[in-house]
Amino acid sequence: MAQALRLLSPPTTNPSIPKFSVPATPWRPLPSFPRRRPRALRVSASLPPPDLGLISSDGGVGAGAAIDVDAVTEAEMKENGFRSTRRTKLVCTIGPATCSAEQLEALAVGGMNVARVNMCHGSREWHRQVIRQVRRLNEEKGFAVAVMMDTEGSEIHMGDLGGAASAKAEDGEIWTFSVRAFNSPLPERTINVNYDGFAEDVKVGDELLVDGGMVRFEVIEKIGPDVKCRCNDPGLLLPRANLSFWRNGRLVQERNAMLPTISSKDWLDIDFGISEGVDFIAVSFVKSAEVINHLKSYIAARCRDNEIAIIAKIESIDSLKNLEDIVLASDGAMVARGDMGAQIPLEEVPSAQQKIVKLCRQLNKPVIVASQLLESMIEYPTPTRAEVADVSEAVKQRADALMLSGESAMGQYPEKALTVLRSVSLRIERWWREEKHHEAMELPDIASSFSDKISEEICNSAAKMANNLGVDALFVFTRTGHMASLLSRCRPDCPVFAFTSSTSVRRRLNLLWGLIPFRLSFSGDMESNLNRTFSLLKARGMIQSGDLVIALSDTLQSIQVMNVP
Ligand SMILES: Nc1ncnc2c1ncn2[C@@H]1O[C@H](COP(=O)(O)OP(=O)(O)O)[C@@H](O)[C@H]1O
Ligand SMILES: C=C(OP(=O)(O)O)C(=O)O
Ligand SMILES: [K+]
Ligand SMILES: [Mg+2]
């Protein structure tokens, strides 16, 4: 009996799983405000124009019954049926090739779930414009694109080449790497280095790697602040490229270890991100869990209502050493293969990726696989076969999200690259579902309270039932998003419709595998929630009478199997 009572009592929030939690605000009906009908969207590929956008159709069940549906997802669902919606989420880095309103809209229509701005490049003003543009598109056109800010971090990198887009280093050429401040244009074959201790730290004979080995130099002479280097592996130098130096075949790490993970410039960028209301902050070159905890308390003190999820970028040797602690402290992780490949041997990157993806799923943290997925598409309109195989491997590992970097930031074919990610994801997901290739993964208990344990058991059972019964969808009514994340962790065969009353929770859920987040105000009365939801979704042609669904609620900790009436 006690058990039954507990099952019905509202769950307590679990402080050790801060993921996506928002302060428990009492339910209140959202103010009804006039909504503009968006203009028709420009649509690429085979999607029909999503015409309803953010418009709330109340399906004849009264005012206040509004539901926010992502216009693009809705179009995809109508086109392919909702069982076939894409489960893998897509992150696009925004840069000069994609920063206009039209270009951002094209990416949103093409399936971008999260827009990433990299604070390593561009000015704060530039990023502000991009973030506001994304928000405006969401409001006006019914997208639900989340924004991720990525910190620069204290890496050693080159300056911006005095404004040049790139510079070619030829075999045998002597270049000067210097910490001096120059007036632009820079002297010929001269590169600025952002780190003052550079000239002291390197030694004659060291190997200097640009971008993890895209170009290689050998240090041949040190003259005060200038370091003369001979180019051994020629190639293209890009602005602000990462620099690492190697001695006797090993990465020289001492100095990196002394640089703070979050520099003073990063703190200013973080303040900027908080004031602009970004959804995620990705922290570069994380070394330990402490920095994540520190940042989380900093953010908690500054933005109560609008919690920001912290993504730890796993890209340094230290982050691999402290992986589990870092992932536990964070709200998610990124396999940042670009810098990782400069810190560990390249042949170790694939196993590191697999390990990180698996650990994140076990610990219920979303994970992004990033860098060079479609690198050749920076210049060419089709990917290499090897790139398609790499993307499909990440999809098979069932990472939550895939990320474009240079392909979308400064490449020539950003929309085509996104289309490749979308179509490869869809195809591989379907193939893997149909052939039932996925082995069940051992999912450890992660709950730290009895109430959370109940949620976890409900989600594990519901996902299993959904697979065994072949249901059409799982519905979850969730305030903090936690229960939705637990369902996503199970990677069920059917899509998960996640209903939350918070727009910011909804945007953050966008990063999670298999979730279709909706904003909907709902009550503690499951019966009426379900009836309203069914009417609203039926009115929009998103579900039909007879569809079989399993519905869960985190306020009631309940589970129901039913046909849509
Ligand atoms: N805001 C920006 N302004 C200008 N260029 C950018 C911007 N963001 C990204 N880029 C370009 O896109 C490339 C790839 O982006 P990303 O992978 O995020 O950075 P990085 O190469 O520094 O790790 C960068 O090297 C840079 O040339
Ligand atoms: C995603 C990465 O980080 P950034 O692009 O900021 O270097 C990476 O190194 O792979
Ligand atoms: K960065
Ligand atoms: Mg990096």
Side-chain angles (χ1 to χ4, degrees):
M1 190 58 209
Q3 189 70 350
L5 284 172
R6 288 193 86 133
L7 271 164
L8 291 170
S9 65
T12 52
T13 31
N14 171 12
S16 78
I17 302 178
K19 189 168 144 53
F20 305 128
S21 61
V22 289
T25 40
W27 177 80
R28 64 191 152 78
L30 280 156
S32 51
F33 49 90
R35 291 164 185 271
R36 279 196 292 136
R37 190 182 176 89
R39 276 173 282 142
L41 296 179
R42 190 158 63 80
V43 184
S44 61
S46 59
L47 298 181
D51 57 346
L52 284 169
L54 193 76
I55 295 282
S56 304
S57 89
D58 64 11
V61 285
I67 188 163
D68 291 351
V69 184
D70 175 8
V72 179
T73 312
E74 184 175 8
E76 277 189 49
M77 281 170 66
K78 283 184 182 159
E79 170 85 349
N80 306 318
F82 60 73
R83 280 196 74 94
S84 311
T85 49
R86 172 168 46 82
R87 313 295 206 267
T88 313
K89 303 303 180 74
L90 306 177
V91 183
C92 299
T93 304
I94 306 304
T98 39
C99 59
S100 74
E102 296 73 35
Q103 289 159 336
L104 286 167
E105 185 175 340
L107 291 182
V109 170
M112 165 172 70
N113 301 103
V114 179
R116 166 186 181 252
V117 288
N118 187 352
M119 303 309 281
C120 195
H121 305 279
S123 64
R124 253 172 236 140
E125 201 37 53
W126 186 93
H127 292 114
R128 193 194 318 278
Q129 295 303 326
V130 170
I131 295 169
R132 295 196 173 169
Q133 201 64 254
V134 172
R135 292 278 188 255
R136 192 169 314 134
L137 280 170
N138 283 348
E139 274 164 34
E140 292 178 359
K141 309 245 166 150
F143 304 123
V145 176
V147 173
M148 177 181 294
M149 190 194 90
D150 195 322
T151 63
E152 174 166 349
S154 304
E155 56 163 353
I156 303 174
H157 61 74
M158 313 189 325
D160 61 9
L161 301 179
S166 65
K168 183 92 180 51
E170 303 283 2
D171 199 19
E173 276 178 3
I174 308 298
W175 284 66
T176 304
F177 288 77
S178 178
V179 297
R180 278 190 287 158
F182 296 100
N183 295 325
S184 48
L186 290 170
E188 211 191 349
R189 290 185 198 157
T190 303
I191 297 287
N192 255 137
V193 178
N194 73 327
Y195 158 58
D196 289 341
F198 179 74
E200 283 164 51
D201 285 0
V202 293
K203 288 191 176 158
V204 171
D206 283 355
E207 212 184 8
L208 189 63
L209 268 63
V210 180
D211 255 344
M214 298 308 282
V215 188
R216 269 169 220 257
F217 294 88
E218 184 190 331
V219 177
I220 52 169
E221 194 184 1
K222 298 208 294 183
I223 312 168
D226 298 346
V227 178
K228 300 266 177 208
C229 302
R230 185 193 308 110
C231 180
N232 291 339
D233 271 342
L236 215 52
L237 304 172
L238 297 173
R240 291 175 174 262
N242 168 278
L243 294 176
S244 53
F245 43 107
W246 292 62
R247 193 170 298 153
N248 306 322
R250 298 180 71 123
L251 179 74
V252 179
Q253 254 199 306
E254 292 81 41
R255 195 47 73 145
N256 265 336
M258 288 167 66
L259 295 171
T261 302
I262 301 180
S263 69
S264 46
K265 188 241 181 200
D266 290 338
W267 283 113
L268 293 174
D269 287 340
I270 287 164
D271 285 341
F272 161 83
I274 293 171
S275 69
E276 290 299 318
V278 300
D279 302 294
F280 299 96
I281 294 180
V283 186
S284 294
F285 295 101
V286 173
K287 293 177 206 136
S288 68
E290 269 125 68
V291 72
I292 301 287
N293 292 328
H294 185 43
L295 177 58
K296 291 198 105 177
S297 55
Y298 184 82
I299 288 173
R302 275 157 189 81
C303 55
R304 290 193 164 202
D305 306 332
N306 185 9
E307 227 207 300
I308 300 176
I310 305 302
I311 305 295
K313 290 173 71 183
I314 310 299
E315 53 185 340
S316 66
I317 294 177
D318 292 314
S319 63
L320 288 165
K321 279 190 200 139
N322 302 322
L323 184 63
E324 185 158 345
D325 287 347
I326 291 172
V327 171
L328 274 170
S330 312
D331 301 312
M334 184 193 293
V335 189
R337 304 186 305 181
D339 284 296
M340 186 192 287
Q343 300 230 339
I344 62 172
L346 279 182
E347 59 274 23
E348 287 174 20
V349 174
S351 54
Q353 172 180 324
Q354 189 168 26
K355 181 175 164 192
I356 299 163
V357 170
K358 182 175 174 193
L359 182 72
C360 285
R361 177 159 161 217
Q362 289 180 323
L363 298 180
N364 194 29
K365 312 285 181 168
V367 61
I368 305 162
V369 174
S371 293
Q372 298 187 340
L373 285 162
L374 297 172
E375 187 79 357
S376 75
M377 291 193 78
I378 291 177
E379 283 178 77
Y380 300 100
T382 56
T384 67
R385 281 52 175 160
E387 286 165 342
V388 172
D390 179 46
V391 172
S392 90
E393 179 60 24
V395 174
K396 283 197 269 185
Q397 289 172 357
R398 306 216 266 183
D400 289 84
L402 309 176
M403 188 171 108
L404 295 176
S405 296
E407 303 93 330
S408 55
M410 50 72 158
Q412 295 192 45
Y413 305 98
E415 290 168 53
K416 285 205 161 99
L418 187 59
T419 302
V420 171
L421 288 191
R422 198 180 68 219
S423 40
V424 175
S425 299
L426 275 167
R427 190 66 194 91
I428 300 296
E429 289 165 5
R430 202 176 83 206
W431 171 43
W432 231 231
R433 250 193 328 270
E434 284 170 2
E435 311 251 323
K436 300 219 176 299
H437 276 311
H438 290 292
E439 339 152 356
M441 184 188 282
E442 194 67 37
L443 294 176
D445 292 349
I446 47 170
S448 60
S449 69
F450 188 66
S451 173
D452 269 3
K453 176 81 186 132
I454 296 172
S455 297
E456 212 175 294
E457 290 293 332
I458 288 179
C459 290
N460 292 347
S461 310
K464 200 168 163 206
M465 277 169 74
N467 292 351
N468 292 345
L469 298 173
V471 308
D472 294 298
L474 278 152
F475 278 27
V476 56
F477 293 83
T478 174
R479 291 187 190 281
T480 62
H482 182 57
M483 198 126 159
S485 73
L486 288 172
L487 276 178
S488 163
R489 176 169 89 131
C490 297
R491 306 292 196 253
D493 289 342
C494 67
V496 179
F497 288 28
F499 303 94
T500 174
S501 47
S502 152
T503 41
S504 64
V505 169
R506 174 175 170 228
R507 279 198 306 268
R508 289 196 293 274
L509 290 181
N510 246 334
L511 185 64
L512 273 64
W513 190 96
L515 294 190
I516 304 176
F518 297 82
R519 205 219 38 88
L520 174 81
S521 31
F522 54 87
S523 70
D525 177 357
M526 204 41 185
E527 179 103 5
S528 92
N529 289 339
L530 276 170
N531 285 336
R532 270 181 56 221
T533 310
F534 289 152
S535 318
L536 287 165
L537 295 180
K538 266 162 67 177
R540 300 178 73 126
M542 295 170 84
I543 55 169
Q544 290 172 9
S545 290
D547 285 343
L548 185 62
V549 303
I550 295 185
L552 318 181
S553 153
D554 65 2
T555 34
L556 297 174
Q557 294 194 309
S558 63
I559 176 165
Q560 274 169 271
V561 185
M562 60 199 299
N563 285 107
V564 175

PDB file of all heavy atoms in Angstrom, residues 373-394:
ATOM      1  N   LEU A 373      33.244  15.356 -39.834  1.00  0.00           N
ATOM      2  CA  LEU A 373      32.316  14.326 -40.304  1.00  0.00           C
ATOM      3  C   LEU A 373      32.214  14.385 -41.829  1.00  0.00           C
ATOM      4  O   LEU A 373      32.159  13.355 -42.494  1.00  0.00           O
ATOM      5  CB  LEU A 373      30.934  14.528 -39.682  1.00  0.00           C
ATOM      6  CG  LEU A 373      30.817  14.121 -38.205  1.00  0.00           C
ATOM      7  CD1 LEU A 373      29.592  14.752 -37.573  1.00  0.00           C
ATOM      8  CD2 LEU A 373      30.757  12.615 -38.048  1.00  0.00           C
ATOM      9  N   LEU A 374      32.149  15.596 -42.356  1.00  0.00           N
ATOM     10  CA  LEU A 374      32.022  15.751 -43.817  1.00  0.00           C
ATOM     11  C   LEU A 374      33.012  16.795 -44.316  1.00  0.00           C
ATOM     12  O   LEU A 374      32.682  17.654 -45.140  1.00  0.00           O
ATOM     13  CB  LEU A 374      30.581  16.174 -44.167  1.00  0.00           C
ATOM     14  CG  LEU A 374      29.478  15.179 -43.800  1.00  0.00           C
ATOM     15  CD1 LEU A 374      28.098  15.799 -44.015  1.00  0.00           C
ATOM     16  CD2 LEU A 374      29.590  13.885 -44.603  1.00  0.00           C
ATOM     17  N   GLU A 375      34.229  16.715 -43.791  1.00  0.00           N
ATOM     18  CA  GLU A 375      35.238  17.755 -44.032  1.00  0.00           C
ATOM     19  C   GLU A 375      35.395  18.113 -45.515  1.00  0.00           C
ATOM     20  O   GLU A 375      35.536  19.277 -45.868  1.00  0.00           O
ATOM     21  CB  GLU A 375      36.575  17.272 -43.458  1.00  0.00           C
ATOM     22  CG  GLU A 375      37.687  18.301 -43.477  1.00  0.00           C
ATOM     23  CD  GLU A 375      37.585  19.330 -42.348  1.00  0.00           C
ATOM     24  OE1 GLU A 375      36.620  19.287 -41.560  1.00  0.00           O
ATOM     25  OE2 GLU A 375      38.478  20.192 -42.290  1.00  0.00           O
ATOM     26  N   SER A 376      35.338  17.116 -46.390  1.00  0.00           N
ATOM     27  CA  SER A 376      35.585  17.417 -47.809  1.00  0.00           C
ATOM     28  C   SER A 376      34.485  18.303 -48.391  1.00  0.00           C
ATOM     29  O   SER A 376      34.681  18.978 -49.402  1.00  0.00           O
ATOM     30  CB  SER A 376      35.719  16.129 -48.633  1.00  0.00           C
ATOM     31  OG  SER A 376      34.451  15.548 -48.826  1.00  0.00           O
ATOM     32  N   MET A 377      33.327  18.324 -47.713  1.00  0.00           N
ATOM     33  CA  MET A 377      32.227  19.149 -48.226  1.00  0.00           C
ATOM     34  C   MET A 377      32.430  20.638 -47.970  1.00  0.00           C
ATOM     35  O   MET A 377      31.621  21.453 -48.388  1.00  0.00           O
ATOM     36  CB  MET A 377      30.882  18.675 -47.664  1.00  0.00           C
ATOM     37  CG  MET A 377      30.470  17.326 -48.212  1.00  0.00           C
ATOM     38  SD  MET A 377      28.755  16.938 -47.848  1.00  0.00           S
ATOM     39  CE  MET A 377      27.877  17.926 -49.065  1.00  0.00           C
ATOM     40  N   ILE A 378      33.512  20.983 -47.271  1.00  0.00           N
ATOM     41  CA  ILE A 378      33.863  22.407 -47.181  1.00  0.00           C
ATOM     42  C   ILE A 378      34.105  22.906 -48.621  1.00  0.00           C
ATOM     43  O   ILE A 378      33.728  24.012 -48.973  1.00  0.00           O
ATOM     44  CB  ILE A 378      35.106  22.609 -46.285  1.00  0.00           C
ATOM     45  CG1 ILE A 378      34.742  22.293 -44.832  1.00  0.00           C
ATOM     46  CG2 ILE A 378      35.661  24.021 -46.433  1.00  0.00           C
ATOM     47  CD1 ILE A 378      35.910  22.386 -43.855  1.00  0.00           C
ATOM     48  N   GLU A 379      34.671  22.035 -49.429  1.00  0.00           N
ATOM     49  CA  GLU A 379      35.003  22.442 -50.801  1.00  0.00           C
ATOM     50  C   GLU A 379      34.177  21.772 -51.885  1.00  0.00           C
ATOM     51  O   GLU A 379      34.034  22.306 -52.970  1.00  0.00           O
ATOM     52  CB  GLU A 379      36.471  22.109 -51.092  1.00  0.00           C
ATOM     53  CG  GLU A 379      37.457  23.066 -50.495  1.00  0.00           C
ATOM     54  CD  GLU A 379      38.868  22.614 -50.806  1.00  0.00           C
ATOM     55  OE1 GLU A 379      39.306  22.830 -51.949  1.00  0.00           O
ATOM     56  OE2 GLU A 379      39.497  22.007 -49.918  1.00  0.00           O
ATOM     57  N   TYR A 380      33.693  20.560 -51.618  1.00  0.00           N
ATOM     58  CA  TYR A 380      33.024  19.797 -52.679  1.00  0.00           C
ATOM     59  C   TYR A 380      31.555  19.526 -52.345  1.00  0.00           C
ATOM     60  O   TYR A 380      31.215  19.345 -51.173  1.00  0.00           O
ATOM     61  CB  TYR A 380      33.750  18.465 -52.908  1.00  0.00           C
ATOM     62  CG  TYR A 380      35.189  18.641 -53.311  1.00  0.00           C
ATOM     63  CD1 TYR A 380      36.210  18.494 -52.378  1.00  0.00           C
ATOM     64  CD2 TYR A 380      35.534  18.983 -54.621  1.00  0.00           C
ATOM     65  CE1 TYR A 380      37.531  18.677 -52.720  1.00  0.00           C
ATOM     66  CE2 TYR A 380      36.847  19.167 -54.978  1.00  0.00           C
ATOM     67  CZ  TYR A 380      37.850  19.016 -54.028  1.00  0.00           C
ATOM     68  OH  TYR A 380      39.157  19.208 -54.381  1.00  0.00           O
ATOM     69  N   PRO A 381      30.712  19.417 -53.368  1.00  0.00           N
ATOM     70  CA  PRO A 381      29.281  19.256 -53.101  1.00  0.00           C
ATOM     71  C   PRO A 381      28.852  17.843 -52.701  1.00  0.00           C
ATOM     72  O   PRO A 381      27.699  17.639 -52.332  1.00  0.00           O
ATOM     73  CB  PRO A 381      28.623  19.666 -54.422  1.00  0.00           C
ATOM     74  CG  PRO A 381      29.666  19.446 -55.457  1.00  0.00           C
ATOM     75  CD  PRO A 381      30.993  19.651 -54.793  1.00  0.00           C
ATOM     76  N   THR A 382      29.745  16.875 -52.808  1.00  0.00           N
ATOM     77  CA  THR A 382      29.371  15.540 -52.308  1.00  0.00           C
ATOM     78  C   THR A 382      30.430  15.050 -51.340  1.00  0.00           C
ATOM     79  O   THR A 382      31.599  15.413 -51.460  1.00  0.00           O
ATOM     80  CB  THR A 382      29.269  14.474 -53.428  1.00  0.00           C
ATOM     81  OG1 THR A 382      30.510  14.436 -54.110  1.00  0.00           O
ATOM     82  CG2 THR A 382      28.138  14.737 -54.376  1.00  0.00           C
ATOM     83  N   PRO A 383      30.035  14.212 -50.381  1.00  0.00           N
ATOM     84  CA  PRO A 383      31.001  13.714 -49.402  1.00  0.00           C
ATOM     85  C   PRO A 383      31.800  12.550 -49.981  1.00  0.00           C
ATOM     86  O   PRO A 383      31.396  11.967 -50.986  1.00  0.00           O
ATOM     87  CB  PRO A 383      30.103  13.221 -48.273  1.00  0.00           C
ATOM     88  CG  PRO A 383      28.837  12.791 -48.947  1.00  0.00           C
ATOM     89  CD  PRO A 383      28.667  13.690 -50.129  1.00  0.00           C
ATOM     90  N   THR A 384      32.883  12.198 -49.324  1.00  0.00           N
ATOM     91  CA  THR A 384      33.586  10.977 -49.725  1.00  0.00           C
ATOM     92  C   THR A 384      32.828   9.786 -49.126  1.00  0.00           C
ATOM     93  O   THR A 384      32.064   9.934 -48.168  1.00  0.00           O
ATOM     94  CB  THR A 384      35.030  10.946 -49.186  1.00  0.00           C
ATOM     95  OG1 THR A 384      34.989  10.838 -47.762  1.00  0.00           O
ATOM     96  CG2 THR A 384      35.812  12.187 -49.582  1.00  0.00           C
ATOM     97  N   ARG A 385      33.061   8.638 -49.701  1.00  0.00           N
ATOM     98  CA  ARG A 385      32.399   7.415 -49.185  1.00  0.00           C
ATOM     99  C   ARG A 385      32.847   7.166 -47.748  1.00  0.00           C
ATOM    100  O   ARG A 385      32.078   6.691 -46.920  1.00  0.00           O
ATOM    101  CB  ARG A 385      32.745   6.211 -50.058  1.00  0.00           C
ATOM    102  CG  ARG A 385      31.951   6.108 -51.355  1.00  0.00           C
ATOM    103  CD  ARG A 385      31.993   7.361 -52.150  1.00  0.00           C
ATOM    104  NE  ARG A 385      31.355   7.318 -53.456  1.00  0.00           N
ATOM    105  CZ  ARG A 385      30.960   8.399 -54.110  1.00  0.00           C
ATOM    106  NH1 ARG A 385      31.136   9.614 -53.584  1.00  0.00           N
ATOM    107  NH2 ARG A 385      30.406   8.302 -55.294  1.00  0.00           N
ATOM    108  N   ALA A 386      34.119   7.473 -47.489  1.00  0.00           N
ATOM    109  CA  ALA A 386      34.645   7.256 -46.134  1.00  0.00           C
ATOM    110  C   ALA A 386      33.923   8.162 -45.131  1.00  0.00           C
ATOM    111  O   ALA A 386      33.644   7.751 -44.000  1.00  0.00           O
ATOM    112  CB  ALA A 386      36.148   7.525 -46.112  1.00  0.00           C
ATOM    113  N   GLU A 387      33.605   9.383 -45.550  1.00  0.00           N
ATOM    114  CA  GLU A 387      32.893  10.286 -44.647  1.00  0.00           C
ATOM    115  C   GLU A 387      31.486   9.764 -44.353  1.00  0.00           C
ATOM    116  O   GLU A 387      31.017   9.810 -43.202  1.00  0.00           O
ATOM    117  CB  GLU A 387      32.832  11.698 -45.247  1.00  0.00           C
ATOM    118  CG  GLU A 387      34.180  12.416 -45.170  1.00  0.00           C
ATOM    119  CD  GLU A 387      34.257  13.657 -46.055  1.00  0.00           C
ATOM    120  OE1 GLU A 387      33.433  13.805 -46.992  1.00  0.00           O
ATOM    121  OE2 GLU A 387      35.159  14.460 -45.826  1.00  0.00           O
ATOM    122  N   VAL A 388      30.833   9.249 -45.379  1.00  0.00           N
ATOM    123  CA  VAL A 388      29.491   8.693 -45.163  1.00  0.00           C
ATOM    124  C   VAL A 388      29.574   7.511 -44.188  1.00  0.00           C
ATOM    125  O   VAL A 388      28.738   7.350 -43.298  1.00  0.00           O
ATOM    126  CB  VAL A 388      28.843   8.274 -46.500  1.00  0.00           C
ATOM    127  CG1 VAL A 388      27.541   7.515 -46.268  1.00  0.00           C
ATOM    128  CG2 VAL A 388      28.597   9.505 -47.363  1.00  0.00           C
ATOM    129  N   ALA A 389      30.632   6.722 -44.330  1.00  0.00           N
ATOM    130  CA  ALA A 389      30.806   5.584 -43.419  1.00  0.00           C
ATOM    131  C   ALA A 389      31.047   6.076 -41.989  1.00  0.00           C
ATOM    132  O   ALA A 389      30.558   5.485 -41.024  1.00  0.00           O
ATOM    133  CB  ALA A 389      31.963   4.705 -43.888  1.00  0.00           C
ATOM    134  N   ASP A 390      31.783   7.170 -41.854  1.00  0.00           N
ATOM    135  CA  ASP A 390      32.037   7.723 -40.514  1.00  0.00           C
ATOM    136  C   ASP A 390      30.736   8.218 -39.878  1.00  0.00           C
ATOM    137  O   ASP A 390      30.454   7.943 -38.708  1.00  0.00           O
ATOM    138  CB  ASP A 390      33.056   8.868 -40.631  1.00  0.00           C
ATOM    139  CG  ASP A 390      33.355   9.527 -39.297  1.00  0.00           C
ATOM    140  OD1 ASP A 390      33.570   8.789 -38.314  1.00  0.00           O
ATOM    141  OD2 ASP A 390      33.373  10.770 -39.230  1.00  0.00           O
ATOM    142  N   VAL A 391      29.938   8.934 -40.661  1.00  0.00           N
ATOM    143  CA  VAL A 391      28.649   9.425 -40.157  1.00  0.00           C
ATOM    144  C   VAL A 391      27.791   8.235 -39.746  1.00  0.00           C
ATOM    145  O   VAL A 391      27.179   8.215 -38.666  1.00  0.00           O
ATOM    146  CB  VAL A 391      27.918  10.282 -41.219  1.00  0.00           C
ATOM    147  CG1 VAL A 391      26.507  10.631 -40.762  1.00  0.00           C
ATOM    148  CG2 VAL A 391      28.708  11.553 -41.526  1.00  0.00           C
ATOM    149  N   SER A 392      27.764   7.211 -40.603  1.00  0.00           N
ATOM    150  CA  SER A 392      26.880   6.085 -40.318  1.00  0.00           C
ATOM    151  C   SER A 392      27.354   5.337 -39.065  1.00  0.00           C
ATOM    152  O   SER A 392      26.545   4.836 -38.289  1.00  0.00           O
ATOM    153  CB  SER A 392      26.739   5.179 -41.531  1.00  0.00           C
ATOM    154  OG  SER A 392      27.703   4.185 -41.514  1.00  0.00           O
ATOM    155  N   GLU A 393      28.651   5.316 -38.827  1.00  0.00           N
ATOM    156  CA  GLU A 393      29.165   4.683 -37.606  1.00  0.00           C
ATOM    157  C   GLU A 393      28.664   5.425 -36.356  1.00  0.00           C
ATOM    158  O   GLU A 393      28.209   4.811 -35.392  1.00  0.00           O
ATOM    159  CB  GLU A 393      30.703   4.662 -37.651  1.00  0.00           C
ATOM    160  CG  GLU A 393      31.385   4.063 -36.433  1.00  0.00           C
ATOM    161  CD  GLU A 393      31.015   2.613 -36.156  1.00  0.00           C
ATOM    162  OE1 GLU A 393      30.602   1.896 -37.086  1.00  0.00           O
ATOM    163  OE2 GLU A 393      31.105   2.197 -34.979  1.00  0.00           O
ATOM    164  N   ALA A 394      28.701   6.756 -36.416  1.00  0.00           N
ATOM    165  CA  ALA A 394      28.215   7.539 -35.258  1.00  0.00           C
ATOM    166  C   ALA A 394      26.711   7.315 -35.057  1.00  0.00           C
ATOM    167  O   ALA A 394      26.228   7.248 -33.925  1.00  0.00           O
ATOM    168  CB  ALA A 394      28.518   9.019 -35.458  1.00  0.00           C
TER     169      ALA A 394
END
